[in-house]
Structure formats: C-alpha cells, structure tokens
Amino acid sequence: MSIKAAIAEQERERMPKAVKMTTVYFCQNCGYESSKWLGQCPGCREWNTMVEENINQAAVKNQGGRIQRTTQKATPSILAAISIEEEPKVLTHIKELDRVLGGGIVQGSLILVGGDPGIGKSTLLLQMCRELSLEDRKVLYISGEESLVQIKMRADRIGSFRQSMLLLCETNLDTISEVIREKKPEVVVIDSIQTMYNEAVSAAPGSVSQVRESTAILLQLAKGLGISIFIVGHVTKEGTVAGPRVLEHMVDTVLYFEGDRHASYRILRGVKNRFGSTNEIGVFEMREEGLVEVANPSEYMLNGRPENASGSVVSCAMEGTRPLLMEIQALVCHSNFGIPRRQTTGTDFNRVNLLMAVLEKRCGIQLADCDAYVNITGGIKVQEPAIDLAIVMAVLSSFRNRPVNPKLIAFGEVGLSGEVRSVSMATQRVAEAKKLGFEVCVMPASCIPVKEKEVDGMKIIGVRNLQEAVDALFYS
C-alpha cells in the first residue's frame, strides 16, 4: 500500500461515522414496540395507537452490549423468614394530600401526578414543598417549563420558604441525576416528565420512548438512593396521562387532579397506590393564595342549594372511607321533537337512561315523550350505584313538579325489577346526614333491622321497591 493510500485510510478512520437511524413504532397505550406500523396493537388490542419514532441504532447496540451475565446464582428467600418493618411516612401537613397518599410520603417511592393544564398540579406540589421545607427537610424542585423567576413569583403568593428549598431549571436527565446524587434531597419534584430527555435516546422530548426511559432513570434514583420523587404528567384529551400506559405501571402511586379550571373546587383522586387505598379523594378550593383544603366537603357541595324547588334530592356517596353528601338535580319537560333529549353531568348517561326505563315500566310513569337533564352539583363525578334512588326521586319530583322535603336524604341501588338493593356503609352515610341537619333518610330496607324507625332523632324509612320509595318521597 502506498503512503498516500495509508494516509487516506487513517483519515477515514478518524472521521466520525454517520449515525445510523432506524424507524421504530411504539404503542402509546402499552409501549409495544414494532418495526412496522400496525393498525391494531398486538399487545393491548387497541386501534390506531402506533406512533413513529427514530432510534439511534448505534446507541441501542452499545446499551445492549453492556449487559453481562453474572455467574452468581439467584437464591429464593423463605416467605415466613422475611421480617416486615414498616418505615414511617413523611407527613406533608396537607391533610387532604396525606389522606390520598395513604398517610404520607413513603421513602423511595415514585409518584405520578396528572391533570389538565392549569388545574393546579404545580401549585399543589409547591405548597407541599413549602410545608416540608418548614421542617428543614431538603427538597429539590426541578422545572423544565418555567424559569427560576416565574417559580419565585408563584412561591411568593403561597408563603415563605426556608433555605432547605432548592430550585433547578433543567431538562437533561444526566445533569439532573448528578445534582440529585450530589445534594441528596429527601423529596424531588419533576415538572414535568414530558420536558425531560435522555441523551442516549434520539427521540424528541415528550415522545413515548423518551418518557419511558426518563421514568426508568428516575425510578432507579428513587429506589437506589431512597428519595421520594414526584413527577408531573400531562394528560391527553381522554383524561389519561400522556405517554405509554406502561408509565403508570412503573410508578408506585398515580394521582389525578380533577375539576373545572374555571371553578374554584379541585379534587385529588388516587387511581393507583401501593401504600394505601385507591378510593380516597382530597377536596381543595383554589384561592388567590393557592389551594386551600376543604375540611367538610359535604357542606361545601350543598352550598347554595335552592329552597322549595322540584327535582332536587340529596344523596350520599362513599369516596373511600369518607361519606360525601351531594345534591342531585333533575329537569323533566315535554319534548317538541320525536326523539326526546337526555343529558347528564357528573354521572353515567347510560345509567340514567336505564333508571328512567325502570321508573316507566315499574311505576307507570310515562317519560317516553319527555326531555330529561340530570346534574350532580359541585362538578363532582360519581359512578357509585348508591345514588340510583336519589336520581329516580329527582326525576319523579321534576316530572310531577312537586318539591321534596329539604330535610330528606335518599340512597340505594335500584335494580331492573324495581327493587331497592342494599349498599355498603349505611351507618356512616346516616351519621353524616344527621351531622348536617337532615331529619328523614330513605334507604334500602335490607340495611336496617325494621322497616321504619327513628335513630337519634332522625327518621329512617326502609323501602324495598320503587313504589314504596315514591310513597316516601311525597308523604314523609
């Protein structure tokens, strides 16, 4: 080989090699990976969920080449020999948040907080950081969407912070990991996961692969260093966290912040919780100084209730261990069209149609030519069948244009045969109603030992079917 050819060969070796990119399709619902586009995902059987992303093939090979098999044998442990030492939970001193978390923050947990834009996710987490900093706990708030000045302006409206509260504006996960390992905070807030990126993944921030890999890195930091990490996730138009569905399986707790951004109420609901119940909710009110806890949600939901108005009945639903009283309103009027209009707010549309069909069949109430509108005031969404009896009573009250006793409360599940079936935790529901001044309670007869009796000055009426409930509605 000539000297010129040898020099040219050395120059070619010194030149950076072209990055080979390959196209991969990911399922937004379950994270299934495929080399070609598919109309239906083979993993979760959902349609039109595959998205295209470009992956650095060399980076994938390098990551795969680092995996080495160890010669150590894995030995299983005896279940009876494992000792359980429950670690104390860190209280945030926000009672509604502690209730949903299951009593506080568990050390080394990864918590996902989702919600619509502007609902108050960042405000809630910033208030949590303030309460923790007042106890001199080191907290690190990492933002990829706001600058330090913007966070400072929002923090000044909430209150004063101590020196243990640290701020960082960064989106590179390598830099974030170094800061977390160096500062070793007790609690870290990532706002938001869609803005973070890992340099090893060539996809754009917010893509399926970036969100999945970024969460995996944060999961390793939380479990390895024993740091509790809160990550904020944007939601799609369906109301679920944007990104692959596997994201919710990776974290320990999934919280959703719900409510109308134009209203003052906010509801924090636990969808998944490895350290507590998933039925608890926290109720907040948005004010100028931030989110304020609502100590008595039942009284808050019934605020502004009309007097002597037809179509208004109060019911009680259980949210975890908390009884929640709410007003159910119905408006029934004759339709001018061939097909009547039905609309619901806060409850299942099909469930209301089913109850109206039972009312028409079992009680002889002709509703086929009537428009019907059912609304649960306060903006809360309830799917519990215990409010069936109150919905039927509200529809009947509006149809006959006769107001219901304002001191009456009703709950119970209604079956297709018109029977009123029992519900759980009836004693707690009655106690909550009595605390707010209600005098008459219409409930399933199977929940009480006798058909009708009086408990601590409150009249209890047990009903077995809709006809008995109709009699109790206007003659109690």
Side-chain angles (χ1 to χ4, degrees):
M1 180 183 294
S2 62
I3 298 177
K4 184 181 290 187
I7 295 175
E9 182 68 21
Q10 293 178 356
E11 291 295 332
R12 283 195 298 269
E13 293 179 355
R14 292 175 183 175
M15 291 179 63
K17 297 181 180 179
V19 178
K20 294 183 179 181
M21 305 295 291
T22 181
T23 301
V24 179
Y25 295 88
F26 289 96
C27 174
Q28 291 180 308
N29 189 45
C30 66
Y32 182 85
E33 181 179 341
S34 175
S35 59
K36 61 180 181 179
W37 185 86
L38 300 172
Q40 184 184 34
C41 174
C44 61
R45 300 297 178 181
E46 293 290 335
W47 290 91
N48 299 324
T49 58
M50 306 296 289
V51 293
E52 178 184 359
E53 292 185 8
N54 295 323
I55 302 298
N56 187 345
Q57 191 174 8
V60 173
K61 290 182 179 179
N62 291 336
Q63 291 178 359
R66 293 174 185 173
I67 301 176
Q68 297 179 358
R69 296 184 180 273
T70 59
T71 57
Q72 297 179 356
K73 294 183 179 180
T75 58
S77 301
I78 301 174
L79 180 61
I82 300 176
S83 61
I84 301 177
E85 295 180 1
E86 186 176 355
E87 297 181 357
K89 297 181 180 180
V90 178
L91 295 178
T92 63
H93 297 285
I94 302 178
K95 295 181 180 179
E96 297 296 310
L97 178 58
D98 289 335
R99 175 196 295 269
V100 180
L101 289 175
I105 305 174
V106 178
Q107 183 180 3
S109 60
L110 185 62
I111 302 168
L112 174 63
V113 182
D116 295 331
I119 201 68
K121 303 183 297 296
S122 302
T123 302
L124 176 63
L125 294 178
L126 198 58
Q127 289 183 218
M128 179 196 69
C129 294
R130 175 181 179 271
E131 296 294 335
L132 294 174
S133 68
L134 294 179
E135 294 185 343
D136 292 330
R137 297 183 182 273
K138 186 178 290 187
V139 182
L140 177 60
Y141 190 98
I142 302 174
S143 176
E145 300 177 348
E146 297 177 290
S147 64
L148 295 176
V149 177
Q150 290 175 321
I151 300 174
K152 175 62 176 177
M153 293 172 60
R154 186 152 45 87
D156 289 341
R157 297 196 300 266
I158 296 175
S160 60
F161 290 75
R162 291 193 176 181
Q163 299 295 327
S164 59
M165 175 66 180
L166 305 177
L167 294 180
L168 176 65
C169 292
E170 183 60 56
T171 57
N172 190 336
L173 269 177
D174 293 335
T175 305
I176 292 173
S177 300
E178 293 178 1
V179 173
I180 293 176
R181 289 190 176 94
E182 179 184 354
K183 299 297 182 180
K184 291 183 174 58
E186 293 186 42
V187 177
V188 176
V189 176
I190 305 292
D191 188 10
S192 64
I193 190 62
Q194 276 78 16
T195 60
M196 303 297 157
Y197 72 92
N198 182 10
E199 293 181 346
V201 181
S202 59
S207 60
V208 175
S209 55
Q210 279 285 7
V211 170
R212 183 176 58 184
E213 296 299 326
S214 300
T215 307
I217 293 176
L218 294 175
L219 180 62
Q220 294 176 357
L221 290 173
K223 304 302 180 183
L225 301 178
I227 299 174
S228 301
I229 300 180
F230 288 78
I231 57 178
V232 177
H234 296 168
V235 296
T236 61
K237 60 182 181 180
E238 289 82 11
T240 59
V241 177
R245 195 69 178 183
V246 70
L247 178 63
E248 297 187 4
H249 296 285
M250 296 171 64
V251 301
D252 297 312
T253 305
V254 180
L255 307 179
Y256 277 100
F257 214 30
E258 304 173 352
D260 188 358
R261 59 181 299 181
H262 302 292
S264 60
Y265 69 90
R266 300 290 189 271
I267 296 176
L268 183 66
R269 189 184 304 273
V271 179
K272 172 188 175 182
N273 193 354
R274 291 174 178 166
F275 313 109
S277 173
T278 57
N279 297 322
E280 299 290 349
I281 65 168
V283 184
F284 298 87
E285 183 181 0
M286 178 63 78
R287 297 181 183 175
E288 184 178 356
E289 63 273 15
L291 291 166
V292 179
E293 301 175 69
V294 179
N296 192 345
S298 297
E299 184 178 359
Y300 177 77
M301 294 295 177
L302 297 178
N303 187 21
R305 184 186 175 202
E307 297 181 359
N308 297 325
S310 61
S312 174
V313 178
V314 176
S315 184
C316 182
M318 295 299 300
E319 293 289 348
T321 58
R322 167 185 288 180
L324 187 62
L325 268 62
M326 64 199 69
E327 179 191 2
I328 297 178
Q329 294 180 336
L331 178 63
V332 179
C333 55
H334 287 282
S335 176
N336 295 324
F337 303 96
I339 301 177
R341 184 178 181 183
R342 308 287 168 82
Q343 184 174 341
T344 63
T345 303
T347 187
D348 186 26
F349 172 78
N350 296 323
R351 186 71 180 179
V352 173
N353 283 335
L354 182 147
L355 294 174
M356 293 182 65
V358 173
L359 183 62
E360 185 171 358
K361 178 71 173 180
R362 304 303 176 185
C363 297
I365 308 298
Q366 298 299 324
L367 300 172
D369 58 344
C370 295
D371 295 335
Y373 307 89
V374 177
N375 174 43
I376 298 180
T377 60
I380 189 172
K381 296 180 181 179
V382 181
Q383 301 294 335
E384 189 185 13
I387 65 172
D388 290 352
L389 187 58
I391 293 176
V392 171
M393 286 185 167
V395 170
L396 185 58
S397 172
S398 178
F399 178 77
R400 294 185 177 179
N401 198 22
R402 295 177 61 180
V404 182
N405 182 2
K407 297 295 183 180
L408 181 142
I409 183 174
F411 59 85
E413 181 182 356
V414 177
L416 294 180
S417 300
E419 78 279 10
V420 180
R421 308 176 71 91
S422 62
V423 296
S424 61
M425 306 179 73
T427 305
Q428 289 84 343
R429 300 175 198 258
V430 175
E432 181 70 12
K434 182 181 180 300
K435 185 171 65 175
L436 292 181
F438 286 87
E439 300 174 354
V440 181
C441 179
V442 181
M443 58 187 293
S446 56
C447 292
I448 54 179
V450 293
K451 184 178 179 180
E452 182 175 349
K453 69 175 185 178
E454 185 174 329
V455 178
D456 296 333
M458 188 172 184
K459 185 179 180 181
I460 306 297
I461 302 177
V463 295
R464 294 171 296 181
N465 51 56
L466 279 184
Q467 191 59 51
E468 294 182 0
V470 171
D471 297 337
L473 177 64
F474 299 112
Y475 303 106
S476 57

